[in-house]
Amino acid sequence: MGQLLALVIVFVVVVGIAKLVRIVPQGFEWTVETFGKYTRTLNPGLHFLIPVYQAVGRKINMMEQVLDVPSQDVITKDNAVVRVDGVVFYQVLDASKAAYEVSNLEQASLALVMTNIRTVLGSMDLDESLSKRDEINARLLRVVDEATHPWGVKVNRIEIKDIAPPRDLIDAMARQMKAEREKRANILDAEGFRQAAILKAEGEKQSVILAAEGEKEAAFRAAEARERSAEAEAKATTMVSESIANGNVNALNYFVANNYVEALKEMARSPNQKMLLLPVEATGILGSLAGIAELAKESLGQQQKPVAVQPPLR
């Protein structure tokens, strides 16, 4: 009987010491309740409690935690049904609020996130929900963090993991994307043909301009040549006229013979004439040639005639 009593006393002492000494691990905070009422919070480390009078209420994890959001069907603004899931990163900042302001923190946070996912995606059409992932995350974070603040919780990030449209919508989107790519390809081809036509027209324009410039220059050169030829002809005519006026008939013979020979030359060059019969008087031609010879002799004689030098007067 005495041994049994001793064992009971030892058991009570051990239980009392266990109730008296409490060690809170790092990353956790414990709440202390006095007869069921919250009184204080135990930080990590060694603490002493009065058995029966004080007791540990809730053990709160103060580290950042990850909460998986299960997939759910959401109807977008344009009545497209998509399956959405996500993940939430949150951290408890106030252990007492997290313990006593909400019954089940994880369940409440999960229900809040899922509800706001339906709200945010329901206000956007399918294209926006697929392309504006960052905007969706920011809106969810702002709303959920504000809602969980009274619970002593800080929501750090909310990420949408996947937005999956139905299979028929995926096929329709693929066809639409293919049509858009073909449209852009056709537009690029048309732009290429248009640019090629413009460049070709510019090239033809430059070619016509250069050809016109060449013809203009050629006409100018031909006119200049004709003008010089006319000046030379006029000068020759003037010289012949002066020679005739001075009584020199040989100059006239030279002029007539020169024109006569030129006329014969042009008639010989005619492509339509195979044989030419002319009643040409040989003596006339020889006379003209003789006149040309006399004119040349006179010209040379005048050039070689010495100049008489008069003796100086005394």
Side-chain angles (χ1 to χ4, degrees):
M1 187 66 181
Q3 293 180 352
L4 181 59
L5 182 59
L7 291 174
V8 172
I9 293 173
V10 171
F11 178 76
V12 171
V13 171
V14 171
V15 173
I17 293 173
K19 293 289 185 180
L20 175 65
V21 179
R22 292 301 178 101
I23 300 176
V24 180
Q26 183 66 37
F28 286 83
E29 288 186 1
W30 294 357
T31 61
V32 177
E33 298 177 355
T34 302
F35 295 120
K37 182 181 179 180
Y38 168 76
T39 55
R40 61 192 178 97
T41 301
L42 300 180
N43 295 322
L46 179 64
H47 299 274
F48 297 96
L49 298 179
I50 301 175
V52 181
Y53 179 72
Q54 294 178 329
V56 175
R58 305 287 180 87
K59 298 178 180 180
I60 305 299
N61 188 348
M62 304 299 292
M63 295 180 288
E64 186 173 12
Q65 303 177 62
V66 181
L67 182 63
D68 286 327
V69 180
S71 60
Q72 60 176 333
D73 291 333
V74 178
I75 301 176
T76 61
K77 186 178 180 180
D78 52 354
N79 297 324
V81 180
V82 295
R83 291 193 66 82
V84 184
D85 59 358
V87 61
V88 181
F89 297 87
Y90 71 96
Q91 185 176 12
V92 177
L93 300 180
D94 193 330
S96 61
K97 291 183 179 180
Y100 301 107
E101 294 294 336
V102 60
S103 176
N104 190 324
L105 180 61
E106 289 188 2
Q107 184 178 357
S109 300
L110 184 60
L112 187 61
V113 171
M114 293 180 68
T115 302
N116 282 278
I117 286 176
R118 289 194 295 269
T119 302
V120 172
L121 290 180
S123 63
M124 306 172 70
D125 56 24
L126 180 60
D127 292 336
E128 290 179 340
S129 62
L130 294 175
S131 61
K132 297 182 179 180
R133 190 74 63 90
D134 293 337
E135 181 179 346
I136 295 172
N137 295 335
R139 291 175 61 181
L140 286 174
L141 178 61
R142 183 175 63 253
V143 174
V144 175
D145 184 55
E146 183 179 356
T148 57
H149 181 72
W151 302 342
V153 176
K154 173 63 177 177
V155 179
N156 296 323
R157 293 189 306 277
I158 297 179
E159 299 289 340
I160 298 297
K161 292 194 297 184
D162 189 22
I163 300 177
R167 187 63 190 177
D168 55 347
L169 283 180
I170 294 177
D171 295 338
M173 291 169 62
R175 291 193 298 269
Q176 180 182 2
M177 181 176 62
K178 182 179 179 181
E180 288 292 334
R181 289 181 177 177
E182 292 178 353
K183 176 183 176 182
R184 288 196 295 268
N186 293 331
I187 292 174
L188 291 177
D189 289 341
E191 287 292 335
F193 291 140
R194 175 175 174 270
Q195 191 66 23
I198 291 175
L199 293 177
K200 183 178 179 181
E202 287 292 335
E204 293 177 353
K205 175 183 176 182
Q206 290 296 120
S207 177
V208 171
I209 292 174
L210 292 176
E213 290 291 336
E215 292 177 358
K216 176 182 177 182
E217 186 67 21
F220 176 77
R221 297 295 182 185
E224 186 178 10
R226 288 194 300 271
E227 181 180 358
R228 292 183 179 179
S229 177
E231 290 178 356
E233 188 72 20
K235 186 175 181 181
T237 304
T238 302
M239 293 176 63
V240 170
S241 299
E242 291 178 354
S243 298
I244 294 173
N246 293 329
N248 189 354
V249 183
N250 292 327
L252 179 61
N253 293 332
Y254 165 75
F255 187 74
V256 172
N258 186 32
N259 289 338
Y260 192 80
V261 171
E262 290 294 330
L264 290 177
K265 187 187 297 184
E266 292 296 329
M267 293 175 68
R269 289 177 181 175
S270 176
N272 297 325
Q273 298 295 333
K274 300 300 181 180
M275 183 175 63
L276 182 64
L277 297 176
L278 295 175
V280 180
E281 185 178 0
T283 57
I285 298 176
L286 293 175
S288 299
L289 294 176
I292 295 172
E294 291 295 332
L295 183 61
K297 288 180 180 180
E298 291 181 1
S299 178
L300 292 174
Q302 291 178 1
Q303 291 179 359
Q304 295 178 358
K305 184 178 181 179
V307 179
V309 180
Q310 296 180 0
L313 298 176
R314 295 181 179 180

